[in-house]
Amino acid sequence: MSSSERSDRHSPDISNNNALLREILDNCEEAVAVSDHNGNLHYYNKAFDSLVSPSSPSPPLNDLLKALSLDALGVWRMLEKQVRMGYAPTYRIALNGGQVISVNAKLFSPKDDRGLILSIWNDATRDEQVRLNYNQATAMLELTQKVAGVGCWQADLEKGKMIWSEELYNITGLPREKSLSIKKYLTRFTPRSRAALIRNLKKAIRYSTPFEVDLEFYARDGSTKWGRANCRIENRNGSCTSLYGTFQDITDMKQREQAILRSHELLTTILNSIDADIYVCDFETHEVLFSNKLVEEEVRPTSNNMKCWEYIYGLDHKCYSCPEMELLDSEGNPSGLFIREFTNPKTGRTYLCHDRAVDWISGRKAHLQVALDISDRKKLEEEITMAMAQSEAANRSKGEFLANMSHEIRTPLNGIFGMLELARTTELNEEQEDYINTALESGRSLLTVINDILDFSKMEAGKLDIVEYDFNLEQCIKSVLKSFSVQVSDKKLNLEVEIAKGTPVCLMGDESRIRQILFNLVGNAVKFTLEGKVKVEVHHEETKLSPEKYRFVFTVSDTGIGIAENKQDIIFKAFTQADGSYTRKYSGTGLGLAIVRRLTALLGGDVSVESEEGKGSSFTFSVVCGLQSDHFSCAFREEDDQYEKNSLPALSILLVEDERINRFSATRILEKLGHSITPAENGYEALKILEGATFDCILMDIQMPVMDGIETTNEIRNSKKYAASRKTPIIAMTAHTMRGDKEKFLESGMDAYIPKPVEFKSLTEAIARVVKE
Ligand code: ADP
């Protein structure tokens, strides 16, 4: 239908029924006005009235036009513009009352000669507000998406169209294109994620199931990132018509998550690798919050929110031994570590438990326990303690055995020596004297061997102690050399001593052990040297060892047979000799150097050898000694010579000795020296004698039946009954020669000590010394 036809159809009604027309126009929502070219308003309907001035019933259109800055010409121009642009622009106008409104005006110029203008006005204020709100909401949404890194999308499955939010382009880096498709969307994902997304999408479409999945996608720069895709479904008649959802960039979150996961894995690995049961339970509820692998393996796989006592020990009540009260202070704060040993009543295994209170996640207080299974260690400890007790008992009995052996060997030897010495005092022909001297020499060799064996056994049993006392180094060396004077002069050897300048000689240390080392080394040097010399040198190292101790280095060298290089190591082993053949030229047990090595170690030093076969050997050893306060001047006693020279006056001597032969030989020898001897078989007998007599000196055996030497000495020294003999010198004469014996006897009140077998020379010297003192 053409526009002229339309106007033809309506025109008769309007012209003929003005009232009806007005009625229609007044009920029209749109404001309608009719004006002339001069701006005079000829007609306006109710809607126009309320649009332009809701308060005034008859506002002039001119006001409106004025407000739009339009005159009649302007209206025509506006009309033209509308025709040209094909739509009615919106005008914001401020009315006289100050109110701002937005209006759309459609102007028509009816084609009649009256030149009237028909205008239809629309209040666009609300539309504009809606548009404004919409724009604001869109901007807000975009901003929110940008800040949150969340894009959204919608896919219309029926139309095969997809729309993306601005942010989704930003996240995926895809260029904005008109023809967006799910296919393109999929190209942004790594193959693995793409497959996962397709799988989820298919499921969503087929079963209308929404999904959420984390996917790896390519960013604009080609790097891979992580996104979380969320998808919802729209259904119509049971089939999926469209999908919509969000896609969030979760790369940072994922990285943080992975970092947390890594550190969690690390901690879990560590906690699970620790060979101890570790678990945590809530302080209030006692519910188990964590347990490591070992607990789970030993107890059960998972705690299932069980109470600790139920989980760990299978109890239906709190453990009586739980230390939880100890773990918090009076203010309820963790008070530190509580360590205890605990035996699990169920398994019988013993644990070393470390309990402490800790601040747990979300403000909870928790009880942390680390329990180390020490059952095996405990068992081992018990075994070790038992073994140690056994070995101590064995050592004790070995020590006792050694003491007895020493005593039992020395007692008959003493008899042999005594009788030989006695025989020497009789009239002898040359041959007899030679036999006796040879027997005595063999006896002495036997004694050396016995001493070595006993010493070595003592060392093996760990029974050899070090006793430190003041001594003179020079005297110590010289007295050792003196004992070899006979052999040295027989062999025509030179014996030299060189104490380096500035070496302190007044020392504190175990002189008797140093003497023993020197005795062995000088003895060997003399034994293995046929001509030339034996030399002893000593110096000290300047560096002070703590406290006030120095290292003294001794060298014993000779011009003897020397030792083959391949034998230089083994000679320090017990019972080993360089010449191991049956046709050995030199006697010996092979124990000397083994003893030397152990003794030097005991004295804080060591020993080594340098030697060349046929040219000689040089043994160097070191020991650690302290210094006396004045370390250059101290007594140098020419003891032996001094007393040897003094002839003793005739003395009355009480000889207390249970062994018949020893008693007989001692009595006879001492009598031959002019002394008068009263023999007693034991301490009791001696005390009886002392009740009625006094003596110049008492020779006291130690081990005797009825009453031993120590008890007897104690009585003499302390009982009023023997007050007359309280000061009489007592010499211990004993086969008890173990380390410490001498000191023990002197402490019990004796004045001197002579070991058995008794050398009568030393006995007379000792008697002379004590009597003089
Ligand atoms: P022994 O009682 O046999 O002397 P040692 O342990 O004192 O035992 O010595 C072991 C061996 O070392 C000796 O048998 C000897 O072969 C060798 N030896 C030790 N000192 C010397 C030395 N000064 N010269 C040559 N050989 C020596």
Side-chain angles (χ1 to χ4, degrees), residues 92-106:
R92 287 172 63 79
I93 53 174
L95 299 181
N96 273 351
Q99 188 191 357
V100 178
I101 61 168
S102 298
V103 288
N104 288 335
K106 282 187 192 152

Side-chain angles (χ1 to χ4, degrees), residues 452 520-521 524-529 556 558 560-563 571-573 575-579 584 586-595 611 616-619:
D452 276 358
N520 270 303
L521 295 180
N524 278 344
V526 171
K527 181 161 72 173
F528 294 107
T529 305
V556 179
D558 61 59
I561 60 168
I563 305 159
I571 53 170
F572 290 100
K573 291 194 179 130
F575 309 107
T576 339
Q577 296 173 320
D579 175 11
R584 283 200 334 247
Y586 307 95
S587 62
T589 55
L591 273 179
L593 291 179
I595 292 172
S611 182
S617 312
S618 172
F619 285 83

Side-chain angles (χ1 to χ4, degrees), residues 69-90:
S69 307
L70 296 172
D71 53 13
L73 192 63
V75 171
W76 281 117
R77 284 208 185 113
M78 211 167 107
L79 192 59
E80 270 172 20
K81 193 174 167 190
Q82 280 181 24
V83 171
R84 208 173 52 241
M85 290 174 67
Y87 73 95
T90 302

Side-chain angles (χ1 to χ4, degrees), residues 10-258:
H10 291 292
S11 58
D13 292 331
I14 295 167
S15 56
N16 294 337
N17 201 344
N18 233 343
L20 178 65
L21 195 60
R22 266 178 200 280
E23 185 80 24
I24 293 168
L25 288 171
D26 273 348
N27 282 301
C28 217
E29 267 189 26
E30 286 170 318
V32 180
V34 179
S35 56
D36 61 26
H37 281 207
N38 298 323
N40 299 319
L41 197 58
H42 290 258
Y43 168 78
Y44 58 89
N45 70 351
K46 275 187 183 163
F48 186 87
D49 189 20
S50 51
L51 167 74
V52 177
S53 174
S55 51
S56 110
S58 58
L61 178 64
N62 270 345
D63 268 7
L64 192 58
L65 298 175
K66 230 161 110 196
L68 287 168
S69 307
L70 296 172
D71 53 13
L73 192 63
V75 171
W76 281 117
R77 284 208 185 113
M78 211 167 107
L79 192 59
E80 270 172 20
K81 193 174 167 190
Q82 280 181 24
V83 171
R84 208 173 52 241
M85 290 174 67
Y87 73 95
T90 302
Y91 302 98
R92 287 172 63 79
I93 53 174
L95 299 181
N96 273 351
Q99 188 191 357
V100 178
I101 61 168
S102 298
V103 288
N104 288 335
K106 282 187 192 152
L107 304 182
F108 302 95
S109 173
K111 286 190 179 114
D112 63 9
D113 50 359
R114 282 186 290 171
L116 290 174
I117 293 171
L118 173 66
S119 55
I120 301 171
W121 303 86
N122 233 332
D123 184 352
T125 312
R126 201 183 314 132
D127 289 354
E128 182 141 315
Q129 193 56 47
V130 168
R131 197 166 49 249
L132 209 68
N133 287 349
Y134 170 78
N135 286 345
Q136 263 177 5
T138 310
M140 281 293 277
L141 188 66
E142 276 182 11
L143 193 70
T144 311
Q145 290 194 7
K146 199 178 172 95
V147 172
V150 183
C152 57
W153 54 272
Q154 203 222 341
D156 187 330
L157 299 182
E158 288 173 332
K159 292 184 184 148
K161 275 194 175 164
M162 197 175 184
I163 50 167
W164 282 25
S165 76
E166 188 69 18
E167 189 54 23
L168 195 49
Y169 286 109
N170 288 338
I171 294 173
T172 58
L174 270 181
R176 273 166 203 74
E177 280 177 18
K178 273 187 191 161
S179 55
L180 250 178
S181 67
I182 288 189
K183 231 177 178 178
K184 269 211 180 121
Y185 177 55
L186 288 174
T187 60
R188 303 309 299 164
F189 296 94
T190 61
R192 202 192 170 117
S193 289
R194 193 181 309 142
L197 183 56
I198 292 172
R199 206 170 42 246
N200 276 289
L201 282 171
K202 278 185 177 164
K203 216 166 111 192
I205 294 167
R206 187 170 303 160
Y207 305 111
S208 297
T209 43
F211 67 83
E212 183 180 280
V213 60
D214 290 352
L215 304 162
E216 209 175 4
F217 67 95
Y218 298 111
R220 198 189 300 264
D221 61 3
S223 63
T224 52
K225 287 186 160 190
W226 278 92
R228 179 162 293 163
N230 229 306
C231 176
R232 298 280 179 276
I233 317 299
E234 257 178 24
N235 265 324
R236 199 180 314 122
N237 302 329
S239 60
C240 175
T241 52
S242 81
L243 304 170
Y244 61 95
T246 56
F247 188 75
Q248 184 185 4
D249 185 345
I250 56 162
T251 310
D252 287 350
M253 198 171 91
K254 206 77 182 171
Q255 276 167 356
R256 276 197 300 274
E257 210 175 272
Q258 273 168 357

Side-chain angles (χ1 to χ4, degrees), residues 390-521:
Q390 279 170 357
S391 107
E392 260 167 36
N395 254 349
R396 239 191 335 271
S397 51
K398 192 170 178 182
E400 281 159 16
F401 171 75
L402 285 173
N404 282 340
M405 274 282 289
S406 169
H407 185 265
E408 293 312 309
I409 295 170
R410 279 163 202 276
T411 305
L413 252 183
N414 195 40
I416 297 171
F417 273 110
M419 296 318 286
L420 288 172
E421 292 271 7
L422 200 54
R424 237 174 24 160
T425 63
T426 59
E427 211 152 283
L428 302 167
N429 62 29
E430 207 172 306
E431 191 184 359
Q432 286 166 330
E433 196 173 339
D434 196 29
Y435 292 162
I436 287 176
N437 284 341
T438 311
L440 270 171
E441 212 169 283
S442 303
R444 282 193 199 102
S445 299
L446 178 60
L447 197 60
T448 317
V449 171
I450 290 166
N451 281 342
D452 276 358
I453 291 177
L454 288 174
D455 259 355
F456 187 72
S457 311
K458 274 187 269 176
M459 283 179 209
E460 291 281 271
K463 288 272 162 195
L464 207 76
D465 313 312
I466 295 301
V467 183
E468 294 193 337
Y469 45 90
D470 292 351
F471 72 98
N472 185 310
L473 178 66
E474 191 183 349
Q475 185 179 0
C476 166
I477 300 170
K478 286 190 172 160
S479 77
V480 171
L481 298 185
K482 197 173 164 205
S483 48
F484 294 100
S485 51
V486 179
Q487 287 108 303
V488 166
S489 74
D490 283 355
K491 286 182 152 184
K492 298 193 173 56
L493 298 176
N494 279 331
L495 201 53
E496 293 174 14
V497 186
E498 191 180 312
I499 298 173
K501 222 171 154 201
T503 308
V505 288
C506 302
L507 310 183
M508 217 181 66
D510 196 331
E511 186 203 5
S512 73
R513 293 302 172 195
I514 297 172
R515 214 185 258 261
Q516 197 176 351
I517 297 169
L518 278 169
F519 193 86
N520 270 303
L521 295 180

